[in-house]
Amino acid sequence: MSQVVSIAPTSIKLDVDTKTRLQRLATSRQRSTHWLMQEAIRQYLEREEQLAQFRDEMQTAWDDYQDTGLHVTGKEVFAWMETWFTDSEAQPPKCHH
């Protein structure tokens, strides 16, 4: 069974240069300007939502560090990463004070 998607029309005002560029790109991609704008907005939202999630995770990590003092150094992480995709892949480094 397919999901019903509610559509809400929205208008956007573009300067002439942007509109021309959008039309040119749509023609070269054989897409409508409408499709390009929807895709651009979808990608922007995904990117910004991922960035917000990353910031939240980093704040949580910082708060945990402030509370516990536990950490792993960059040198330890890079040494571990050097073993990736080798026959002797190491375990992740342990947190320490």
Side-chain angles (χ1 to χ4, degrees):
M1 185 173 238
S2 64
Q3 181 180 357
V4 176
V5 177
S6 182
I7 304 292
T10 302
S11 64
I12 182 170
K13 294 182 182 185
L14 300 173
D15 62 78
V16 174
D17 181 57
T18 300
K19 186 172 181 179
T20 301
R21 291 170 58 205
L22 183 62
Q23 289 170 331
R24 189 177 316 123
L25 184 60
T27 300
S28 73
R29 298 287 196 270
Q30 297 181 346
R31 293 285 189 172
S32 67
T33 56
H34 175 83
W35 185 91
L36 288 179
M37 288 186 286
Q38 282 185 315
E39 182 65 12
I41 292 168
R42 185 192 61 74
Q43 287 182 22
Y44 176 81
L45 291 172
E46 283 182 14
R47 185 175 59 247
E48 291 300 312
E49 288 166 348
Q50 288 173 349
L51 182 57
Q53 181 181 352
F54 176 75
R55 285 183 182 137
D56 291 345
E57 290 170 1
M58 291 304 98
Q59 186 62 53
T60 298
W62 176 249
D63 293 343
D64 288 346
Y65 171 72
Q66 294 291 93
D67 292 342
T68 67
L70 294 175
H71 66 284
V72 176
T73 67
K75 185 176 181 179
E76 293 166 328
V77 171
F78 285 121
W80 169 56
M81 289 171 61
E82 289 292 324
T83 70
W84 290 6
F85 308 108
T86 68
D87 291 335
S88 56
E89 186 170 325
Q91 292 295 314
K94 302 260 189 239
C95 290
H96 54 82
H97 285 99

